[in-house]
Amino acid sequence: VRVPSCHHRDSAMVIGREMSPAGLRATPIKGFILDITGVLYNSMEGTDGIPIQGSVEAVNRLYSESRVRFLSNESTGTVSHVVGKLGRLGYSGIRAEDIITPAPTAAEYCRMNGLRPHLLVHPGIRSVFDGISQEDPNCVLIGDAEHAFTFKAINTAFRHLMKMRDPLLLSLGCGKFYQRTDGPCIDVGAFAEALKFASGCRHVVVGKPRPDYFQTALDSLGMDKEEVVMIGDDIVSDVGGAMKFGMRAIQVRTGKWRSEWESHEVKPTLIANDLLSAVRACID
Amino acid sequence: VRVPSCHHRDSAMVIGREMSPAGLRATPIKGFILDITGVLYNSMEGTDGIPIQGSVEAVNRLYSESRVRFLSNESTGTVSHVVGKLGRLGYSGIRAEDIITPAPTAAEYCRMNGLRPHLLVHPGIRSVFDGISQEDPNCVLIGDAEHAFTFKAINTAFRHLMKMRDPLLLSLGCGKFYQRTDGPCIDVGAFAEALKFASGCRHVVVGKPRPDYFQTALDSLGMDKEEVVMIGDDIVSDVGGAMKFGMRAIQVRTGKWRSEWESHEVKPTLIANDLLSAVRACID
């Protein structure tokens, strides 16, 4: 976790229109939508990751009051995989139905739209697409495939796009990078850009920052967007997406946080040091 | 080699301002700059490729008159590798100094600008950068690395960019794809886009369609751009680049040619079925 200097902390309070806790609480906050990776824990290769200090406390508090949903762009594992990992990290008792990841949403999108996806995804989520025809593909579906992003796999996806009359790429999120303890990792959005550039395909994002993805979490909470705050570590997907949709949004200084984002064109409702600080600013 | 329909051939004659052979020969043509892959031969994985019918005859004719240079974005082998391959394909007697590829130009660019590149390139061209410091890199240099484009290699390049104060990416060309006999292959430009998207780096292309790269070939011929025609199979890198620079350019219907390019925003001086037809239109 990067600890910003006092200078940064001070400047965050004066940038933008609604940077003060007062702006944050101009209308009552009933619910929370939380990003997972970089907010609840930091990723560490080959392990479940490392919980971020105070986040277990914050999540327990919100979860016991039944006013939180988890909205992730995670595409390397199924929801039950995420539940298992969170449990091992100390986030116990979280139900699978309170965690939204893009792969099941994309599978439903394929079913609704008659799409037969060629999958360029992590082996951990292929099972989500069982039962959806993948013969004679009419779209490519790309996730964070990590080491499955070989030249051969990328080229195979490209060739499928080149064969389509109206080439379409679905991506599970479109992040630039995510943060691991050993450094930043290039994310699915970059590989989606590569395929777009080479093939000229259309591109539909399933996940944040798409408005309907935030709406899914609101529907699950049974709340309106004016009543809910999004908290995340990605200035574009989490904060930018939520604010464009009409929600308040808190950027945390954990996970992939970069100090240069203090002057990012996206102006969060609040920048908080971590999830616990963010939650306290909302409800204490 | 894709054989276009008569319909396509006809329409090519009426699109654009200078589509007729008359426009092509409005001023005398003294010299030729030829792309190599997709013009002299079609690529075939695991082999030297397959010569395009008539191209050996066309090249022999121009080469015997000392009025041709070869300007390629090839970045999987050294110039001597290219000479050897062309020789085995029937293009005998071509001198290394008449073939321009981007890797030596990029190496010179690094030397001139104090750049210490992290290399994300094909093993076949690493030796071109011998003697240039690659310690504490201040740029990433990307070529068509083919199977060396692993997730780990791409991510390592990305991390180097993220560590730089002013991240810079040099790419050896920026093609979308090249054609092999078994299908199209995603090219270096796509991977450059991925790194640009994720890191926000600056991007300098070494190779076509950069004006100074065409100038290198003109300097070698000792001719002015008004006296020389570019012939290539890439509508953007070869034809678009040359025409923007002020040269006449012929698109051939071999290599990566796509019939939809008949109505591409880039309007070649002429679209010819192959190199031999193109050369005949110029000098017969």
Side-chain angles (χ1 to χ4, degrees), chain A residues 1-283:
Chain A
V1 181
R2 181 167 189 164
V3 180
S5 70
C6 286
H7 170 74
H8 284 133
R9 223 173 282 143
D10 291 347
S11 67
M13 304 301 286
V14 294
I15 296 169
R17 281 164 297 136
E18 300 185 313
M19 300 305 286
S20 72
L24 177 68
R25 298 171 74 165
T27 59
I29 296 168
K30 287 173 63 183
F32 292 83
I33 301 176
L34 306 188
D35 180 32
I36 297 177
T37 312
V39 176
L40 271 54
Y41 68 90
N42 284 315
S43 298
M44 189 176 183
E45 190 167 27
T47 74
D48 286 320
I50 300 170
I52 292 171
Q53 196 164 10
S55 291
V56 171
E57 177 188 342
V59 167
N60 283 344
R61 178 168 172 185
L62 297 178
Y63 205 69
S64 67
E65 297 171 3
S66 300
R67 53 175 178 163
V68 64
R69 292 296 180 274
F70 302 92
L71 189 68
S72 174
N73 274 0
E74 166 72 42
S75 66
T76 62
T78 60
V79 167
S80 59
H81 174 86
V82 174
V83 168
K85 177 157 66 176
L86 289 179
R88 291 188 295 276
L89 290 171
Y91 297 92
S92 54
I94 294 178
R95 291 177 299 270
E97 59 262 38
D98 294 331
I99 297 174
I100 302 164
T101 65
T105 308
E108 184 58 20
Y109 187 90
C110 289
R111 282 186 208 99
M112 300 283 287
N113 293 280
L115 294 176
R116 303 178 303 276
H118 170 77
L119 301 178
L120 179 53
V121 299
H122 196 282
I125 64 160
R126 294 195 85 91
S127 62
V128 176
F129 301 92
D130 285 353
I132 298 175
S133 171
Q134 292 156 32
E135 293 296 303
D136 184 23
N138 55 6
C139 75
V140 165
L141 192 152
I142 187 175
D144 177 17
E146 288 187 343
H147 294 286
F149 278 132
T150 62
F151 177 72
K152 191 171 175 209
I154 294 168
N155 199 39
T156 299
F158 168 68
R159 286 182 175 191
H160 278 297
L161 289 169
M162 290 292 273
K163 271 187 245 158
M164 295 172 199
R165 209 167 38 86
D166 178 19
L168 171 65
L169 178 66
L170 299 187
S171 72
L172 305 179
C174 61
K176 292 176 192 284
F177 71 95
Y178 57 92
Q179 189 71 21
R180 271 194 337 218
T181 51
D182 61 326
C185 292
I186 193 165
D187 199 4
V188 57
F191 294 92
E193 284 297 310
L195 289 170
K196 276 163 68 178
F197 174 82
S199 73
C201 64
R202 285 190 296 133
H203 179 205
V204 171
V205 177
V206 178
K208 298 173 285 187
R210 282 260 299 200
D212 50 5
Y213 197 63
F214 289 104
Q215 187 61 52
T216 307
L218 289 176
D219 291 346
S220 173
L221 280 168
M223 296 178 190
D224 294 328
K225 57 188 171 189
E226 295 79 10
E227 301 173 311
V228 176
V229 168
M230 172 77 208
I231 303 177
D233 70 331
D234 191 309
I235 191 86
V236 175
S237 293
D238 295 325
V239 176
M243 294 188 74
K244 202 166 173 183
F245 181 52
M247 293 171 64
R248 285 165 283 182
I250 301 178
Q251 168 77 46
V252 287
R253 291 193 184 92
T254 55
K256 70 181 72 173
W257 163 256
R258 289 288 181 277
S259 60
E260 57 264 35
W261 290 354
E262 302 271 0
S263 53
H264 197 280
E265 59 177 8
V266 172
K267 304 299 180 199
T269 312
L270 182 74
I271 304 180
N273 278 348
D274 50 34
L275 178 61
L276 184 59
S277 306
V279 170
R280 284 180 174 157
C282 291
I283 58 178

Side-chain angles (χ1 to χ4, degrees), chain A residues 146 151 155 159 184 186 190 194, chain B residues 146 151 155 159 182 184 186 190 194:
Chain A
E146 288 187 343
F151 177 72
N155 199 39
R159 286 182 175 191
I186 193 165
Chain B
E146 288 188 343
F151 176 73
N155 199 41
R159 287 182 174 189
D182 61 326
I186 193 165

Side-chain angles (χ1 to χ4, degrees), chain A residues 175-177 186-187 189-190 193, chain B residues 158 162 193-201:
Chain A
K176 292 176 192 284
F177 71 95
I186 193 165
D187 199 4
E193 284 297 310
Chain B
F158 167 69
M162 291 292 274
E193 285 297 311
L195 289 171
K196 274 164 69 179
F197 174 82
S199 73
C201 63

Side-chain angles (χ1 to χ4, degrees), chain B residues 46-102:
Chain B
T47 74
D48 285 321
I50 300 170
I52 293 170
Q53 197 163 10
S55 291
V56 171
E57 177 187 340
V59 166
N60 283 344
R61 180 168 172 186
L62 298 178
Y63 206 69
S64 68
E65 297 172 2
S66 300
R67 51 173 180 166
V68 63
R69 293 297 181 273
F70 302 91
L71 189 67
S72 175
N73 274 0
E74 167 72 43
S75 65
T76 62
T78 59
V79 167
S80 60
H81 174 86
V82 175
V83 168
K85 176 157 69 174
L86 289 179
R88 291 188 296 275
L89 290 170
Y91 297 92
S92 55
I94 295 178
R95 291 177 300 268
E97 59 263 37
D98 293 332
I99 297 174
I100 302 164
T101 64

Side-chain angles (χ1 to χ4, degrees), chain B residues 75-81 103 121-129 144-145 148:
Chain B
S75 65
T76 62
T78 59
V79 167
S80 60
H81 174 86
V121 300
H122 195 283
I125 64 161
R126 293 196 85 91
S127 63
V128 175
F129 300 92
D144 177 17

